[in-house]
Every structure is written in C-alpha cells, then in structure tokens.
Amino acid sequence: MNMVDAVLDGWTEIEQGIARTAFDRAYTRSIDQLAASVRAKSEALSSAETIWELHDFLSIQRHTIEGSFDFRPEGILFVFARLVKDDLLSIDELDGLGIDKLSKITAMARF
C-alpha cells in the first residue's frame, strides 16, 4: 500500500489530521468490503478452478487497492474524490478541510 506519511504542503496541521483520518477510514472500509467478498467467494470453492479464480480475484484486488490508496500530496485531492465517488468516504468526513479543497473534491467526484 502506498500510504506514504507525506506532509501536505499548503495544508494546516488540522487539515492533515482530518485527511489522514479520512484516508485511513476509507482504507479500512475497502479492506472490510474485500474480506466480506472473499468470505462469500470462499463458500463457493468447489474445485481447483474456483480456487484459482479466487486467487486471480485477490491479485486484482490487491493491485487495485494498492494503486488507489496513495497519500502523496500531488494526488491526494484526486484520491479523495475517487473515494467519495466509490462510496468509501463521505464528503462530510472531510469536514474541516478548506472550502477550496472540499470544492475541488466535490467537483471531481461527480465525474
């Protein structure tokens, strides 16, 4: 996972704390969803083929999650927008960020 402990330039310490907390919550939700999906899929394991399909599914999910959760400053607003769009985070959980940042996140989450 690319959860780099970066300092977000132009962000107050309070904003950075809000961002980190929201980011971590979304990551936890993503992992919880994956675990639930794996539990459901594991109940259907009945052959070597279904086992390999589960392996492939997990490989894809790992790649997707690791690529999605990146706390680097240059892309964090895009990350938050995608997390809002994917229902892993609500815009309310970012309350306390500057209005300019919230506006950008909200606008990008529409697309």
Side-chain angles (χ1 to χ4, degrees):
M1 178 175 47
N2 295 325
M3 291 177 58
V4 177
D5 285 323
V7 173
L8 302 174
D9 292 329
W11 293 54
T12 67
E13 282 189 43
I14 291 172
E15 286 179 319
Q16 289 185 59
I18 291 166
R20 175 46 72 181
T21 298
F23 184 89
D24 291 345
R25 270 192 204 136
Y27 179 77
T28 298
R29 288 178 185 140
S30 179
I31 296 302
D32 289 348
Q33 287 177 0
L34 176 60
S37 183
V38 168
R39 279 190 291 276
K41 290 179 180 299
S42 68
E43 291 177 9
L45 296 177
S46 60
S47 66
E49 183 64 28
T50 57
I51 292 170
W52 308 144
E53 287 172 5
L54 177 59
H55 172 270
D56 293 344
F57 170 77
L58 284 170
S59 294
I60 291 167
Q61 292 304 308
R62 180 179 183 177
H63 177 76
T64 300
I65 289 170
E66 287 180 350
S68 297
F69 286 89
D70 190 344
F71 199 76
R72 287 182 287 188
E74 61 271 11
I76 195 66
L77 295 179
F78 293 105
V79 169
F80 284 139
R82 191 189 31 72
L83 294 173
V84 168
K85 186 175 182 173
D86 292 346
D87 292 323
L88 290 171
L89 193 61
S90 73
I91 202 72
D92 293 340
E93 290 174 294
L94 297 168
D95 189 40
L97 297 184
I99 191 70
D100 58 326
K101 294 174 183 83
L102 287 173
S103 296
K104 288 177 185 176
I105 293 166
T106 301
M108 289 187 290
R110 290 186 190 129
F111 299 99

